[in-house]
Amino acid sequence: MTLQNLLTIQRLVAFKARREDIQRLLLAAERNLNDSAITAISDENRFDAAYKCVMQCSMAALQANGYRTSTSQPGHHQTAIQTLPLTVGLDPKVVVVLDGLRKQRNINDYAGDPISPTAVDECIKQAQALLKHVCAWLAKNHPELT
Amino acid sequence: MLADFLLGSFRTRVLSALLLHPDATWHARELARRIGALPGSTSRELVKLADAGILSRQQIGNQVHYRANRNCPIFVELAGMLRKTSGLAMVLADALQPLVEHIQCALVFGSVARSEESVHSDVDVLVLGNIGFADVISALHPMQEVVQREINPVVYRAEDFRAKLSSNNTWALEVVEKPKLFLIGGADDFAKLVDDPASRRIQGAA
């Protein structure tokens, strides 16, 4: 599946991002990552903050490639995560982990199952690594957006 | 589970052990130990399955060894059915085996463990140990193709799971109270991990 295919089946929408669009997302991602370190809040909310960072990094990655997800379609979080190898060359093995974290969040949101401290640790670790990866990719491939 | 319904639970256990490890050979007593059954009934079942051509047998010394007969016309279908149903625990246990040093206990909970699963039910797996979520999901993810179901692992350090329990979290209480399929460790290990004060002291000291 290419990004162009995903555009054809309307999973993605063409979007011409400006530098400000990307920067706004990355600043929000960084804020969320910092919030995820706050231990005074619940594991669920720390996890959510780190997960938001992952999502915003994924959105920035898509936008830098000229797309955004179609929020009118179900599963746009999944699309954003699963396109990371196409947008910023992320290792598909990492996508498996990120997608697993997405499912943890769904189960927590819809069934109320707790988020484990182990999952919080992983989500923060993955968010940090992804933010770093996306920033490095942008600097190399789209310096005009940084 | 479906396989139990079709084949009976004992036959399913015997067939799962042999057909899901088609290159392993067993003699009756060895297999009986592995599946926790009586040697006599295990031996009779092996004879019947070999007579039907589902297993092959080989005389080694004074022992008869059995293994899956790959030439049986329905070997692939039978193994596939077991893998997707009751053999599921074995498939998942094998996948977690490389991580066993870091896992104190692993089990299936939820609808699959209660034999109440529908065609679309996910497999809920709880892993207790000092291990990262990424390691567990990376090991289990490829098995989704094999069992044709989504697998959702939940990973806790034993002390974190105990903390959830002592806060009367209903999810954790349900995991403890409802049926489980053990993948690594058994019911005794799990019971010790979740409420043995001695293990709590050891954990606290670590």
Side-chain angles (χ1 to χ4, degrees):
Chain A
M1 192 61 86
T2 64
L3 294 171
Q4 192 59 46
N5 290 148
L6 288 165
L7 184 67
T8 312
I9 60 168
Q10 296 177 334
R11 286 277 170 165
L12 296 178
V13 176
F15 180 78
K16 176 101 185 73
R18 298 162 304 163
R19 183 180 170 276
E20 304 86 273
D21 298 319
I22 303 285
Q23 287 309 311
R24 193 165 56 236
L25 273 168
L26 292 178
L27 282 173
E30 203 176 337
R31 263 197 316 277
N32 280 311
L33 181 59
N34 290 336
D35 283 357
S36 72
I38 299 171
T39 53
I41 56 171
S42 69
D43 285 334
E44 275 101 319
N45 283 314
R46 292 183 63 200
F47 181 93
D48 272 0
Y51 178 81
K52 269 175 91 171
C53 171
V54 168
M55 200 40 57
Q56 285 157 338
C57 289
S58 309
M59 294 299 169
L62 270 171
Q63 290 191 6
N65 282 273
Y67 302 94
R68 61 174 177 77
T69 56
S70 169
T71 41
S72 62
Q73 293 259 337
H76 63 274
H77 280 209
Q78 192 171 10
T79 305
I81 287 173
Q82 291 183 345
T83 47
L84 281 164
L86 300 170
T87 53
V88 292
L90 195 72
D91 184 343
K93 286 185 192 142
V94 179
V95 174
V96 167
V97 179
L98 296 177
D99 206 50
L101 294 169
R102 177 185 65 78
K103 282 195 223 154
Q104 301 273 304
R105 174 180 170 272
N106 279 353
I107 296 168
N108 173 249
D109 280 6
Y110 303 125
D113 289 7
I115 291 283
S116 76
T118 304
V120 177
D121 292 347
E122 190 70 54
C123 201
I124 293 174
K125 189 171 136 195
Q126 295 295 333
Q128 272 167 344
L130 185 62
L131 181 59
K132 209 171 142 196
H133 182 99
V134 169
C135 289
W137 183 90
L138 281 169
K140 191 171 168 222
N141 297 281
H142 287 283
E144 77 284 2
L145 296 173
T146 61
Chain B
M1 288 211 187
L2 275 173
D4 287 355
F5 171 73
L6 289 169
L7 302 171
S9 72
F10 184 59
R11 179 158 292 172
T12 299
R13 266 154 74 205
V14 172
L15 279 177
S16 297
L18 283 119
L19 268 53
L20 297 180
H21 295 277
D23 296 320
T25 66
W26 303 85
H27 61 81
R29 217 164 324 119
E30 194 181 16
L31 181 66
R33 264 200 303 275
R34 161 87 188 229
I35 64 172
L38 294 170
S41 37
T42 306
S43 174
R44 281 191 295 279
E45 185 65 18
L46 288 169
V47 169
K48 276 189 251 175
L49 291 168
D51 287 347
I54 296 169
L55 304 180
S56 60
R57 74 187 123 204
Q58 191 188 3
Q59 184 86 31
I60 298 177
N62 59 357
Q63 280 177 339
V64 185
H65 285 234
Y66 295 87
R67 71 158 66 179
N69 178 14
R70 286 178 184 271
N71 295 324
C72 170
I74 56 164
F75 166 74
V76 173
E77 287 81 2
L78 211 43
M81 183 185 83
L82 293 166
R83 205 171 284 125
K84 289 175 199 169
T85 56
S86 58
L88 185 138
M90 205 175 291
V91 171
L92 300 184
D94 285 353
L96 290 174
Q97 213 52 44
L99 309 172
V100 74
E101 274 175 49
H102 310 284
I103 297 176
Q104 289 163 286
C105 189
L107 55 94
V108 176
F109 66 99
S111 64
V112 171
R114 295 194 302 269
S115 300
E116 291 166 5
E117 78 273 26
S118 73
V119 186
H120 304 290
S121 297
D122 293 355
V123 186
D124 295 311
V125 178
L126 172 66
V127 175
L128 296 179
N130 293 313
I131 186 167
F133 177 79
D135 293 324
V136 173
I137 192 132
S138 305
L140 291 178
H141 184 262
M143 298 305 118
Q144 297 193 142
E145 287 263 309
V146 179
V147 301
Q148 290 289 305
R149 286 180 190 280
E150 292 227 354
I151 302 170
N152 286 313
V154 179
V155 186
Y156 275 85
R157 283 178 291 265
E159 61 267 34
D160 292 335
F161 187 78
R162 277 196 296 273
K164 273 275 171 287
L165 267 181
S166 47
S167 71
N168 283 326
N169 180 279
T170 53
W171 170 82
L173 289 169
E174 272 185 36
V175 170
V176 171
E177 284 158 14
K178 298 211 168 153
K180 296 170 270 296
L181 294 173
F182 285 94
L183 306 175
I184 292 176
D188 292 350
D189 301 298
F190 181 69
K192 254 183 229 159
L193 272 175
V194 296
D195 54 30
D196 181 13
S199 87
R200 207 168 301 172
R201 271 202 303 279
I202 293 162
Q203 286 290 327

